[in-house]
Amino acid sequence: MTLLKKLQWSFGLLLFFFVLPVIAGQLPFNKQASTPIKEPEDKQVVYAATNLAEQSALEQTKEETKEETKEATKEASKDQTQAQTQDQTKNPFKVLLLFTHSQESYQPIVKAASGKAAVYDEKTNIYQLKDTISKHFSTNGIQTDVLDVDVMKELKLKGKTFPYSYNFVRPYLAKRLEEQSYDLVIDLHRDSAKRDATTLTYNNESYARIAIVIGAEHKNYRWNTAYAESLSAAMNGIVPKISRGVISKSGDNVDGRYNQDLTKEMILIELGGIDNTEVELNRTIAVIGKAISKSFITGKQE
């Protein structure tokens, strides 16, 4: 091969390698490779959310729901209270009061009224406390009736003596119990004991102490005792030791039944003694009313 041909051949090869990349870039199968690849863009993910107006409306709805719940709760509580009140109005706890020894009196009260000291008086006596007792009982949801018989006055008119009191009042009580039913019957008396036994000081205030007497010689004895013990415990829960307890009576020289055989719900209360004042008696009467409510009315509703 001549020198000229060698030079032509070398020039041809150089031209071929120079042009080849240009020609390859124009071929259709290499278009994708020659196109720049775009990096994926970071897209912000938008979650569902309320705008300001919607958020405000939502908060308002929540507050309204809370208020509606409160109102519903109040209404339910009000309805329940009304139902209890209506039930108590339809079926009130009824107490019958009687005063077998109607002219038993308290010396300080008689002295303030008439200037004389007496333990029995025709005008100023335990029987005259009936309105005060009824008011205190009413405050505690107790409906009170009174067997309106001045027993000792009637005994004198008929020439009967003091020991005949229970026999005299018996037909009056029996007739009333036939006509109406009561949740509790209380025969109220004044104890003959002196001040040191019948007076208590609690929280700097003095009270007339009570004792509950149950006749032990009749068929209702255990029933009467259960009522007495429940009331005594409730009173002591309000004012410690205001009740001297339940005293059972039987044997010679006592009545033994005190007309408690006529009903299971009957008790006899000795309210204070001959030396107790009106203020002391009023405080104790208030405690009796509260104790009746606590022992019998609240338990009955539950």
Side-chain angles (χ1 to χ4, degrees), residues 29-273:
F29 58 79
N30 205 33
K31 284 286 185 183
Q32 186 175 358
S34 63
T35 303
I37 298 175
K38 293 184 179 181
E39 293 293 328
E41 297 180 2
D42 291 334
K43 293 185 179 181
Q44 184 176 1
V45 180
V46 180
Y47 294 96
T50 55
N51 57 32
L52 184 60
E54 290 173 334
Q55 185 68 26
S56 177
L58 181 61
E59 292 299 325
Q60 183 177 353
T61 301
K62 288 180 179 179
E63 290 300 319
E64 289 175 352
T65 302
K66 288 180 181 178
E67 290 299 321
E68 289 174 358
T69 303
K70 288 180 181 178
E71 288 299 321
T73 303
K74 287 181 181 178
E75 288 298 322
S77 178
K78 183 179 178 182
D79 291 343
Q80 184 178 4
T81 302
Q82 288 177 344
Q84 291 177 348
T85 302
Q86 289 173 357
D87 180 66
Q88 190 170 339
T89 302
K90 291 178 182 177
N91 301 291
F93 190 89
K94 297 176 66 176
V95 171
L96 176 65
L97 301 178
L98 66 146
F99 302 82
T100 300
H101 294 162
S102 55
Q103 293 184 6
E104 290 179 328
S105 60
Y106 303 87
Q107 291 190 95
I109 301 176
V110 176
K111 190 172 183 179
S114 63
K116 63 180 181 179
V119 294
Y120 292 96
D121 192 80
E122 293 181 357
K123 295 180 179 179
T124 308
N125 49 54
I126 192 170
Y127 184 58
Q128 302 307 316
L129 293 176
K130 60 183 184 294
D131 291 337
T132 300
I133 296 170
S134 296
K135 288 178 182 177
H136 279 291
F137 281 16
S138 178
T139 301
N140 289 281
I142 303 165
Q143 180 179 310
T144 308
D145 288 349
V146 178
L147 191 65
D148 204 6
V149 182
D150 189 338
V151 177
M152 294 184 72
K153 178 181 178 180
E154 294 298 322
L155 285 175
K156 291 175 184 178
L157 291 174
K158 293 177 171 55
K160 300 291 184 179
T161 59
F162 187 82
Y164 190 72
S165 301
Y166 290 101
N167 287 334
F168 180 84
V169 79
R170 187 177 179 85
Y172 291 93
L173 177 59
K175 186 174 185 295
R176 177 63 68 87
L177 294 176
E178 286 177 2
E179 296 171 347
Q180 297 185 47
S181 61
Y182 293 93
D183 297 293
L184 188 64
V185 179
I186 305 175
D187 188 3
L188 282 152
H189 292 251
R190 182 265 302 137
D191 202 332
S192 60
K194 299 291 288 182
R195 183 172 182 81
D196 59 346
T198 64
T199 311
L200 168 75
T201 299
Y202 178 71
N203 286 343
N204 298 318
E205 293 185 330
S206 57
Y207 295 81
R209 298 182 73 196
I210 67 107
I212 305 178
V213 179
I214 300 296
E217 297 178 358
H218 60 91
K219 62 181 180 180
N220 289 332
Y221 164 69
R222 295 189 182 280
W223 287 94
N224 303 137
T225 301
Y227 275 85
E229 288 178 346
S230 179
L231 182 59
S232 177
M235 289 187 67
N236 284 335
I238 298 169
V239 177
K241 297 183 180 181
I242 192 171
S243 172
R244 293 154 56 198
V246 179
I247 303 169
S248 296
K249 290 289 189 75
S250 62
D252 298 335
N253 301 317
V254 298
D255 186 276
R257 62 178 185 176
Y258 304 106
N259 289 322
Q260 293 165 359
D261 59 312
L262 294 177
T263 178
K264 297 176 180 178
E265 299 83 15
M266 186 170 174
I267 60 177
L268 187 157
I269 294 180
E270 299 277 7
L271 177 60

Side-chain angles (χ1 to χ4, degrees), residues 16-29:
F16 175 76
F17 286 113
F18 177 78
V19 177
L20 181 61
V22 177
I23 296 173
Q26 298 299 320
L27 294 177
F29 58 79

